Amino acid sequence: MKAAELPAIPAKRYFTIGEVSELTGVKPHILRYWEQEFSQLSRVQRRGNRRYYQHREVLMVRRIRGLLYDDGFTIQGARQRLAQQGEQPLPVTAQEVRKELQSILDWLDLGLGKS
């Protein structure tokens, strides 16, 4: 699944590991492994020790996935690239930018009570 085929990220505060898996195309056991390998991935543990991720972590998982699966980086190489570029994942295509901006607008609308 290429980055352009991934679904838009819904406007919500927390995502379960299953939701992140669906939004990124990365299986949950891989996500748990990546948490150990990439310091940029931090999750919140709430309610019975369950993993929850925020919007920025979903974007970071997509970025890591792109580096490893699409660009062919090793885990060490992906770590170095993220360190060079900073932690913010950058949308690659105009369509991705539109999707991310729309999800941000939806999230803001929910916060302001417009929906």
Side-chain angles (χ1 to χ4, degrees):
M1 183 180 300
K2 294 285 185 189
E5 298 170 358
L6 295 171
I9 301 171
K12 55 190 268 187
R13 187 172 179 126
Y14 294 107
F15 301 89
T16 65
I17 194 167
E19 291 170 327
V20 174
S21 178
E22 290 176 14
L23 292 169
T24 60
V26 177
K27 294 183 179 185
H29 69 277
I30 301 293
L31 290 170
R32 288 189 289 274
Y33 174 69
W34 286 358
E35 287 174 11
Q36 297 169 9
E37 296 296 323
F38 294 94
S39 61
Q40 296 89 346
L41 281 181
S42 58
R43 56 160 175 16
V44 178
Q45 287 205 252
R46 300 171 36 185
R47 291 190 227 138
N49 214 23
R50 292 184 51 150
R51 285 175 164 81
Y52 289 93
Y53 299 84
Q54 293 183 345
H55 191 271
R56 68 179 170 268
E57 279 81 33
V58 177
L59 293 174
M60 182 56 65
V61 169
R62 284 185 172 186
R63 181 68 184 135
I64 292 169
R65 181 190 182 283
L67 290 171
L68 296 174
Y69 295 175
D70 300 336
D71 299 339
F73 281 82
T74 63
I75 287 179
Q76 182 62 34
R79 267 196 229 115
Q80 290 173 352
R81 176 58 62 98
L82 290 171
Q84 289 171 353
Q85 295 177 341
E87 292 188 12
Q88 281 295 77
L90 301 174
V92 179
T93 66
Q95 182 181 6
E96 285 182 65
V97 171
R98 267 188 234 101
K99 278 186 194 178
E100 296 308 323
L101 287 173
Q102 186 59 54
S103 70
I104 292 168
L105 285 172
D106 293 343
W107 180 75
L108 288 171
D109 286 345
L110 282 175
L112 297 173
K114 289 186 177 180
S115 293

